[in-house]
Amino acid sequence: MRKFIWGLLTVIFIGGLVFLSLNSSKTLMTSDSGKITEKQFINDVKKSSAGQQEFANMTINKVLDNQYGGNVSKADIQNAYDTQKAQYGDSFKSVLASNNATEDQFKTNIKNNLVMNAAIKANYKVTDKQINQAYKDYHQNITISMITAKDDNSAKQAIEALKSGDSWNTVYKKYTTEKTYAKQNGQLPSFDSTSTSVDSAVQEAAFKLSKPNDYSDSPITGSNGGFYVIQLNKTTTKPSLNNVRSKLSDKIVSTSLNDQKNTTKIQTIIGKILRKENVNVKDSQLKNALNSYMTAGISSSK
């Protein structure tokens, strides 16, 4: 089953759990063997690794949103949502269901990820060496149209139709399973190689197309298991380093977030922010949930 990817720090937990009262004696289940109350349920969840992690995530998201949420606009969230949804095609709802998520939760996860990026960027020292290498690998903005096919065979049929002379618009309408950008016949918002919304496999194939109206001559298999056909609509000239320095820095940060080798560095940055905000866990069962963040970097800074 497909899972959320492309940079999303997705954490799906028991829906509505955070709204339960810790002191509630409301009965959740009855049986001949006994009953389970909300209080019993919450106390049990708090002891679990999933409960501890969810508490840590809630705390981090709350603090980071307060400090860096203003750096993320509704348009940023919607654009990322639309682009990622388009890449799931007609399986989007089933993907949500398999992750026990609603569309609103999906958007919240996107927002949390963007805010996390903003927080790490503000506290992550990007070196000139990293920037120069990133610019060397950088590909400028392009605009493509994309067919999200239902399977590999449908993608091949779409390509054959294009080779036979059928127009892109005709082929798109017949073979795509995703209609987010139907009015534009599948044309996505422009993107460059710093994009965290467009699947890396789609990006790689798109950057190989050399001139407008060129299309992929074989199905593109996305990292989510989807099948795509793309056409290049427009490309631009590569801008100067200074014009994309900020975007390159963002990309370096987002890549670092998903690199296991940088776990300690990321925890140190988050821990510093949490300590600055005077985070103090009052519940004895949850007191250790944030330890990996709250203690990160302290010994090395002495």
Side-chain angles (χ1 to χ4, degrees):
M1 185 63 69
R2 297 179 185 179
K3 299 293 182 182
F4 294 130
I5 42 184
W6 303 323
L8 281 183
L9 302 178
T10 308
V11 180
I12 304 300
F13 199 58
I14 303 167
L17 175 61
V18 296
F19 299 106
L20 299 179
S21 169
L22 295 180
N23 297 314
S24 174
S25 59
K26 178 182 177 181
T27 298
L28 300 178
M29 184 280 292
T30 61
S31 71
D32 292 340
S33 301
K35 66 179 182 178
I36 296 177
T37 65
E38 280 187 358
K39 183 177 181 179
Q40 291 173 324
F41 177 59
I42 291 293
N43 285 335
D44 192 55
V45 168
K46 282 161 58 178
K47 298 175 186 176
S48 70
S49 59
Q52 296 271 320
Q53 185 60 57
E54 176 62 9
F55 173 76
N57 290 333
M58 288 177 64
T59 301
I60 291 168
N61 289 335
K62 185 177 183 65
V63 171
L64 296 189
D65 186 55
N66 179 59
Q67 291 293 314
Y68 302 97
N71 296 345
V72 176
S73 69
K74 291 182 179 179
D76 293 333
I77 298 168
Q78 189 63 47
N79 287 338
Y81 172 84
D82 288 341
T83 301
Q84 294 189 40
K85 180 182 177 183
Q87 294 166 102
Y88 284 104
D90 58 4
S91 66
F92 182 63
K93 289 186 178 180
S94 64
V95 172
L96 288 176
S98 69
N99 285 274
N100 299 315
T102 64
E103 291 189 23
D104 284 343
Q105 287 173 323
F106 187 39
K107 285 186 178 181
T108 297
N109 289 329
I110 289 174
K111 176 186 177 182
N112 290 341
N113 187 58
L114 293 175
V115 172
M116 174 73 76
N117 271 275
I120 299 302
K121 180 187 175 184
N123 295 275
Y124 187 108
K125 182 175 176 54
V126 177
T127 66
D128 286 339
K129 181 179 179 180
Q130 288 176 301
I131 290 289
N132 290 332
Q133 182 60 51
Y135 183 68
K136 182 179 178 181
D137 299 333
Y138 174 77
H139 194 288
Q140 68 272 18
N141 263 333
I142 65 171
T143 305
I144 66 169
S145 293
M146 184 173 73
I147 293 170
T148 303
K150 67 177 180 180
D151 52 33
D152 182 61
N153 188 53
S154 292
K156 289 178 179 177
Q157 290 176 5
I159 292 170
E160 287 304 313
L162 290 170
K163 288 180 178 179
S164 297
D166 290 351
S167 70
W168 173 268
N169 294 354
T170 298
V171 177
Y172 172 81
K173 289 180 173 64
K174 182 174 181 179
Y175 289 100
T176 194
T177 66
E178 215 300 309
K179 304 295 176 63
T180 300
Y181 299 104
K183 290 183 179 179
Q184 301 97 316
N185 290 304
Q187 182 172 295
L188 304 181
S190 62
F191 63 90
D192 60 13
S193 56
T194 67
S195 172
T196 57
S197 298
V198 178
D199 188 292
S200 58
V202 173
Q203 288 191 45
E204 182 179 355
F207 297 147
K208 290 179 179 178
L209 300 177
S210 58
K211 61 182 184 298
N213 297 322
D214 281 356
Y215 54 85
S216 49
D217 57 8
S218 61
I220 300 164
T221 303
S223 53
N224 70 333
F227 299 95
Y228 309 106
V229 179
I230 61 172
Q231 176 183 255
L232 178 63
N233 303 128
K234 181 181 178 181
T235 188
T236 59
T237 57
K238 187 172 182 177
S240 69
L241 171 57
N242 285 338
N243 284 338
V244 292
R245 181 179 291 274
S246 179
K247 296 179 73 173
L248 294 175
S249 181
D250 288 347
K251 179 66 173 181
I252 292 168
V253 169
S254 64
T255 300
S256 296
L257 279 170
N258 294 307
D259 189 342
Q260 293 297 320
K261 293 184 293 185
N262 290 319
T263 298
T264 300
K265 180 181 289 189
I266 301 304
Q267 287 179 336
T268 298
I269 290 173
I270 294 175
K272 181 180 179 181
I273 297 171
L274 295 180
R275 292 192 296 272
K276 186 176 180 180
E277 281 291 291
N278 297 313
V279 169
N280 184 12
V281 179
K282 302 293 187 179
D283 189 288
S284 60
Q285 290 177 301
L286 297 170
K287 65 180 180 180
N288 296 322
L290 289 162
N291 271 3
S292 60
Y293 300 97
M294 298 298 284
T295 62
I298 290 180
S299 58
S300 61
S301 64
K302 291 182 179 180

